[in-house]
Amino acid sequence: MSQAILEQLRARFGEAIIETHNFRGDETAIVRREQIVPLCQWLKATPGIECNMLIDLCGVDYSERAERFEVVYHLYSTTQKHRVRVKVRLAGEAPQVDSVVAVWPAANWFEREAFDLFGITFVGHPHLKRLLTFDEFEGHPLRKDYPVNRRPKIPTPDPLM
Amino acid sequence: MGIQNTLQEGFFTTRLEHVLAWGRKYSLWPMPFGTACCAIEFMGVVSSRFDISRFGAELVRFSPRQADLMLVMGTITYKMAPILKRVWDQMCEPKWCIAMGACASSGGFYDNYSTLQGIDEIIPVDVYIPGCPPRPEQIIHALVKLQEKICGTGQSFPVAPPLVAASGVVKKGNAA
């Protein structure tokens, strides 16, 4: 069912769709990073697709690849009952991608988590601050090159109010 | 001529600190710092089946200012560590600490970037309880061990934390 969405995506965005695949019914589109926000808006707003729910957004580190990082968006439509995955590949030690908080407010904490653990900067995020670790934490612990034995210093806590 | 000759039958003499220690060891007021499954196990110890009140430590307080025994039950992350330290600092002397379970004692199997590798990195610990989580009997055993330590009759603890000097009770008892 979602295969039709991938074809519509190709027809609408053409060059911006790098590749698509459909492994055991998990329809996935890998897209160019410049187009992620208009593409997400289109997936959300187009009648018949209506991916109005961001299930998950996460970072991945494929340290052996040239484009080392990936951001994965899991989308669901509560009206059409279908799912789509969108992926963006990012290169470099300080990867950047546009924030989708304006499309789905649910992306707010997901993007903070990916920023915290992978060091991916989401341009346009309203409050890009570490979510799970603390401000004084050095490095991004889910990167594959983060030393396994490294331990942080004991932090000073955030004021709660 | 000892004091026994002066006093009538029915009196005995002791040292004041022994009486104090005897009183303290049977009225420990635990402050549960529960962050994980060990805290659930502790509920069993407090309630009727295992009944920690038989050992005089049933009155659980959720304010550090009303407690003298801190029970750290569960995984302590680096983010939580300064909060644990602050709560410990708010408790009045004399005070004791039990590290319950593998996580509080050593980090347990969370040997990673986020987890404190044992709470003794930040606060002194009197008794460690192994287990993941420990059985209720082990917690009661730890309490008995702590009572022995408070009145100075138990085995000596080779790695005595600074707490011993702070309370003064155990140190003098052991020397006697």
Side-chain angles (χ1 to χ4, degrees), chain B residues 23-32 42 55-71 91 94-96 143 146 150:
Chain B
R24 278 171 182 157
K25 78 171 185 173
Y26 290 123
S27 82
L28 290 166
W29 293 48
M31 147 93 210
F42 179 71
F55 303 89
E58 79 281 17
L59 213 51
V60 175
R61 291 283 125 170
F62 293 92
S63 162
R65 298 175 201 282
Q66 300 172 354
D68 59 4
L69 167 62
M70 175 176 262
L71 278 150
M91 287 169 61
K95 56 189 174 183
W96 299 274
L143 194 71
L146 182 68
I150 290 169

Side-chain angles (χ1 to χ4, degrees), chain A residues 117 130-134 137 141-142 146-157, chain B residues 77-83 85-86 110-119 121-122:
Chain A
L117 302 179
R130 284 184 182 273
L131 180 69
L132 298 175
T133 64
F134 37 88
F137 196 94
L142 288 197
Y146 187 88
V148 151
N149 296 323
R150 186 155 150 199
R151 295 289 178 272
K153 282 185 193 138
I154 290 169
T156 45
Chain B
T77 59
Y78 280 96
K79 207 172 179 179
M80 183 61 102
I83 297 153
K85 176 87 167 81
R86 184 178 296 176
Y110 299 107
D111 186 8
N112 59 25
Y113 64 90
S114 65
T115 306
L116 194 68
Q117 301 298 297
I119 58 164
E121 286 187 30
I122 50 165

Side-chain angles (χ1 to χ4, degrees), chain B residues 117-164:
Chain B
Q117 301 298 297
I119 58 164
D120 49 9
E121 286 187 30
I122 50 165
I123 61 173
V125 176
D126 294 85
V127 182
Y128 298 85
I129 313 176
C132 186
R135 287 280 308 162
E137 293 90 332
Q138 287 176 267
I139 298 147
I140 292 172
H141 184 229
L143 194 71
V144 171
K145 282 286 169 202
L146 182 68
Q147 288 176 344
E148 287 174 2
K149 184 176 180 182
I150 290 169
C151 68
T153 58
Q155 62 186 50
S156 63
F157 288 74
V159 277
L163 189 68
V164 172

